[in-house]
Amino acid sequence: MRPEFNALKDHPDLSVLIVGGGINGIGCFNELALQGIDVLLVEKSDFCAGTSAAMTRVIHGGLRYLENAEFRLVRESLRERNRLFRNAPHYVKPLPTTIPIFNWTSGMVPAIRNLLRWPTRPGDRGAVVIKSGLTLYDLLAGRHSPLPRHTFRSRSEALALRPSLNPGILCTATYYDARITYPERLCLELVQDAEAACPQARALNYVRLHSASGGEVTLRDELSGSTCTVRPRIVVNAAGAWIDGVNRDLGRPSQFIGGTKGSHIVLDHPELVRETGDDMIYFVNRDGRICIFYAVQGKIVAGATDIPTSDPETSCDEAEVDYILHAMQQAFPAIRVNRSHVVFRFCGVRPLPRSNALTPGQISRDHSFPVLPPGNGIDFPIYSLVGGKWTTFRALAEQVTNEILRVLGRPRLRSSAHIPIGGGKGYPRLPQGTGLSQDRLLSLQERYGTGADSVAAYLLAGPDSPLASLPRYSLREIEFIARNERVLHLDDLILRRTLIGLLGEATRPVIEELAAVVAPVLQWPPQTASAEVARTIHLLQSVHGMSFND
Ligand SMILES: Cc1cc2nc3c(=O)[nH]c(=O)nc-3n(C[C@H](O)[C@H](O)[C@H](O)COP(=O)(O)OP(=O)(O)OC[C@H]3O[C@@H](n4cnc5c(N)ncnc54)[C@H](O)[C@@H]3O)c2cc1C
């Protein structure tokens, strides 16, 4: 049995139990730890393995939410976006976003109806509507925004820059948001920072909330199958799309969530990488739905769909792949894009509130945290974190924490607003005097921020060599991750500690070589290493659409 799980048996009493280790659960965990609260977070899978790993990887104010007249939400999101530039500069980088525009006046009537809060289906947006929206967006970002203001390009300028762009355009508009290069790693860093800040804060991956009775909650270690009970004063249900299922397991059924699934595909398409350049292309389909695509480390990430679902474990289906490919083809009709270019797919379910909106895109992306008071044989209150965006995790965590501190009668000790996260501390310092090449140091900095210091020191402490199957990584770098970054399954390493999975690089030889490096560190006997290889291949085939016909 894992010693950390076993230790819970000796200390079953705690102030707060958080269920769910996505960005919202982890954000609350970090915020409570900063206040010195004894808090336990349990995640049934790996940290950031649910919807938080399925995001478009954009830290944004939500230009589209202006159409729903959600000005407060956009202002809050822009404020949090700007904070993340400061607090996570190693992973949050400017992202110019270009919108191809096909006419002057489309969308004006729907825009006015939306402002008046009359139900309207979205449609095409013309230059006038987009100009108004972007002007307001820049205004809401404030005078101290770290990003430039929007600009327009004429048709000829736009086509000179991107010759394959749809020639039917009238012009393009470019505005600025941010990309997040490693959202999964930022989640891990928030966990590690929290545990370092507060000895009474503990987060465990692969531990599932099983059931509850009276004041006791039963947890199950997903690795060994063993169980234990804890006695929290407050439960925070941060299970995202699983929230209603978790409340049912807690004995307090709810109907908070009306999820929508969103899928992305990753394409190996050098021509599209050249055409998109540094920009995200924000393409509005004729039906009013938005498709975005942009280059991530030489591949194209494209998405996302928005389809109502009640299944939190759903995956990207063929119709969604066709839909995204079709939208890309409309944006760049001169470039052939088809299924042979798709190397990876991913999907997640937005934990949105139940709603009667006309279209999924019109359901508010704002967050709330309804409380189920003690009752029905359960002695503790449950706060469910409904809705929200990745971008606004800190604001949600701050609000929930204020409420929890009030209930516990504890003071707020610190604000997280200005605290750098993980490898964002002291960024952009490079490790000094290591003897590693400048290129290697820069690649470590790109992956770990100032955490590159510890990685570089580890690389130099023993003989190292590039992986035979993926020379961008070295043997000791993988060992470092396995040793220090809470890896319990091989797919944690491939899908969440690195971009190997996302970029479609997890071929059989890569998976086998990684298993061979990790096995001695995690003391896997040969049969466990083989089982991990099989588990990873199955996951990549069944969930991420990869094929291993070798
Ligand atoms: C397609 C798509 C694109 C998006 N793009 C963006 C974007 O670019 N920018 C942005 O700001 N936002 C974006 N979002 C929104 C954002 O990703 C989500 O709002 C956010 O990740 C939700 O996080 P969460 O922590 O609430 O849920 P999750 O990340 O799903 O976390 C919930 C966790 O609870 C765990 N859990 C469930 N049951 C149990 C149990 N019984 N015991 C223990 N653990 C349990 C799950 O395993 C899961 O890990 C996007 C969402 C989607 C779907």
Side-chain angles (χ1 to χ4, degrees):
M1 193 193 276
R2 277 191 280 172
E4 314 85 53
F5 187 75
N6 223 6
L8 297 177
K9 294 189 172 154
D10 302 329
H11 303 284
D13 292 299
L14 36 114
S15 293
V16 183
L17 170 68
I18 299 176
V19 183
I23 185 58
N24 284 329
I26 288 175
C28 277
F29 177 70
N30 185 279
E31 189 78 32
L32 285 164
L34 285 178
Q35 315 314 321
I37 303 293
D38 53 317
V39 51
L40 170 69
L41 179 148
V42 293
E43 163 55 55
K44 71 176 169 61
S45 173
D46 189 19
F47 301 123
C48 197
T51 303
S52 297
M55 70 178 307
T56 307
R57 309 172 90 83
V58 179
I59 297 297
H60 64 131
L63 176 65
R64 199 173 56 73
Y65 314 145
L66 289 178
E67 287 185 346
N68 301 344
E70 295 188 274
F71 304 119
R72 191 205 53 75
L73 172 63
V74 175
R75 193 182 294 112
E76 178 181 67
S77 307
L78 287 167
R79 196 163 48 226
E80 290 304 320
R81 179 198 74 179
N82 295 349
R83 278 197 176 121
L84 276 167
F85 269 118
R86 286 193 298 273
N87 295 341
H90 54 320
Y91 294 152
V92 176
K93 312 279 179 189
L95 178 64
T97 302
T98 289
I99 314 175
I101 302 172
F102 291 87
N103 61 61
W104 284 105
T105 52
S106 286
M108 290 176 67
V109 175
I112 293 164
R113 287 181 65 99
N114 275 331
L115 286 176
L116 296 172
R117 297 187 186 273
W118 293 343
T120 315
R121 283 186 185 279
D124 197 8
R125 287 94 166 161
V128 175
V129 168
I130 289 174
K131 176 75 191 169
S132 320
L134 292 180
T135 304
L136 186 55
Y137 200 63
D138 285 340
L139 266 175
L140 291 172
R143 269 185 302 129
H144 302 296
S145 168
L147 292 171
R149 289 170 179 264
H150 77 271
T151 53
F152 272 71
R153 273 198 191 93
S154 68
R155 177 176 183 278
S156 57
E157 286 169 334
L159 290 176
L161 195 66
R162 296 192 172 81
S164 305
L165 198 58
N166 191 319
I169 53 165
L170 172 76
C171 58
T172 61
T174 300
Y175 73 100
Y176 290 79
D177 264 321
R179 67 170 74 212
I180 174 163
T181 50
Y182 291 89
E184 302 85 0
R185 294 194 56 82
L186 196 71
C187 277
L188 181 75
E189 291 186 351
L190 282 162
V191 167
Q192 291 175 326
D193 285 356
E195 291 181 344
C198 175
Q200 296 84 35
R202 192 85 193 106
L204 299 178
N205 48 352
Y206 295 100
V207 172
R208 177 188 290 270
L209 172 126
H210 182 266
S211 55
S213 173
E216 293 194 332
V217 176
T218 302
L219 306 175
R220 183 175 184 276
D221 179 0
E222 294 290 275
L223 298 187
S224 66
S226 59
T227 59
C228 74
T229 53
V230 291
R231 287 189 295 270
R233 287 180 63 188
I234 293 174
V235 170
V236 174
N237 180 350
W242 293 263
I243 278 180
D244 290 327
V246 164
N247 282 336
R248 190 193 53 231
D249 292 342
L250 285 166
R252 301 287 277 126
S254 61
Q255 293 204 319
F256 293 140
I257 300 294
T260 70
K261 99 190 255 207
S263 294
H264 292 84
I265 54 177
V266 180
L267 301 101
D268 187 1
H269 202 311
E271 202 183 348
L272 267 177
V273 170
R274 271 196 308 278
E275 281 288 308
T276 50
D278 292 333
D279 289 17
M280 181 164 92
I281 306 296
Y282 183 108
F283 185 77
V284 184
N285 266 316
R286 295 270 171 232
D287 63 4
R289 288 192 290 177
I290 290 155
C291 178
I292 63 85
F293 45 102
Y294 68 111
V296 173
Q297 301 214 358
K299 300 282 163 47
I300 291 283
V301 171
T305 52
D306 200 359
I307 304 166
T309 181
S310 54
D311 176 10
E313 312 272 350
T314 180
S315 53
C316 171
D317 62 39
E318 302 309 319
E320 291 176 282
V321 176
D322 287 340
Y323 170 78
I324 299 168
L325 288 174
H326 180 69
M328 298 174 78
Q329 196 66 78
Q330 283 183 292
F332 288 99
I335 299 181
R336 285 291 110 214
V337 191
N338 57 44
R339 275 164 186 270
S340 70
H341 299 112
V342 179
V343 294
F344 191 75
R345 312 171 180 188
F346 58 100
C347 175
V349 176
R350 302 173 182 87
L352 302 177
R354 257 166 209 252
S355 152
N356 297 321
L358 276 183
T359 63
Q362 289 170 318
I363 305 171
S364 172
R365 264 54 176 174
D366 207 352
H367 52 246
S368 62
F369 44 97
V371 189
L372 295 166
N376 272 16
I378 297 300
D379 297 347
F380 43 78
I382 305 167
Y383 291 75
S384 301
L385 310 190
V386 177
K389 290 151 32 94
W390 221 104
T391 306
T392 49
F393 78 87
R394 200 207 61 83
L396 170 59
E398 188 174 74
Q399 290 152 23
V400 179
T401 296
N402 286 343
E403 172 63 13
I404 290 175
L405 291 174
R406 191 187 62 73
V407 173
L408 294 176
R410 297 278 294 269
R412 175 170 270 285
L413 304 179
R414 299 170 76 185
S415 163
S416 55
H418 305 291
I419 300 182
I421 304 165
K425 297 179 193 105
Y427 188 83
R429 186 190 69 233
L430 265 185
Q432 296 295 312
T434 59
L436 292 171
S437 73
Q438 184 75 1
D439 278 357
R440 182 70 170 126
L441 288 176
L442 287 172
S443 86
L444 294 180
Q445 186 192 48
E446 185 270 330
R447 289 175 194 160
Y448 310 102
T450 50
D453 290 347
S454 329
V455 185
Y458 187 83
L459 300 189
L460 292 161
D464 196 13
S465 58
L467 294 185
S469 58
L470 195 60
R472 286 195 296 118
Y473 287 90
S474 78
L475 221 125
R476 286 186 71 82
E477 184 177 351
I478 297 300
E479 266 183 36
F480 178 90
I481 296 174
R483 212 176 277 284
N484 297 294
E485 298 194 344
R486 316 286 281 268
V487 172
L488 293 175
H489 282 295
L490 188 57
D491 51 280
D492 302 340
L493 169 72
I494 290 175
L495 290 170
R496 289 170 292 276
R497 306 301 180 271
T498 65
L499 294 183
I500 295 170
L502 182 92
L503 298 177
E505 294 174 331
T507 58
R508 190 182 290 273
V510 169
I511 296 169
E512 286 174 350
E513 189 176 7
L514 291 172
V517 178
V518 171
V521 181
L522 299 187
Q523 294 168 4
W524 288 344
Q527 65 273 26
T528 306
S530 309
E532 285 294 329
V533 169
R535 175 190 147 103
T536 304
I537 288 179
H538 174 71
L539 193 70
L540 292 172
Q541 279 175 324
S542 57
V543 178
H544 299 291
M546 290 185 69
S547 87
F548 290 84
N549 300 325
D550 47 7

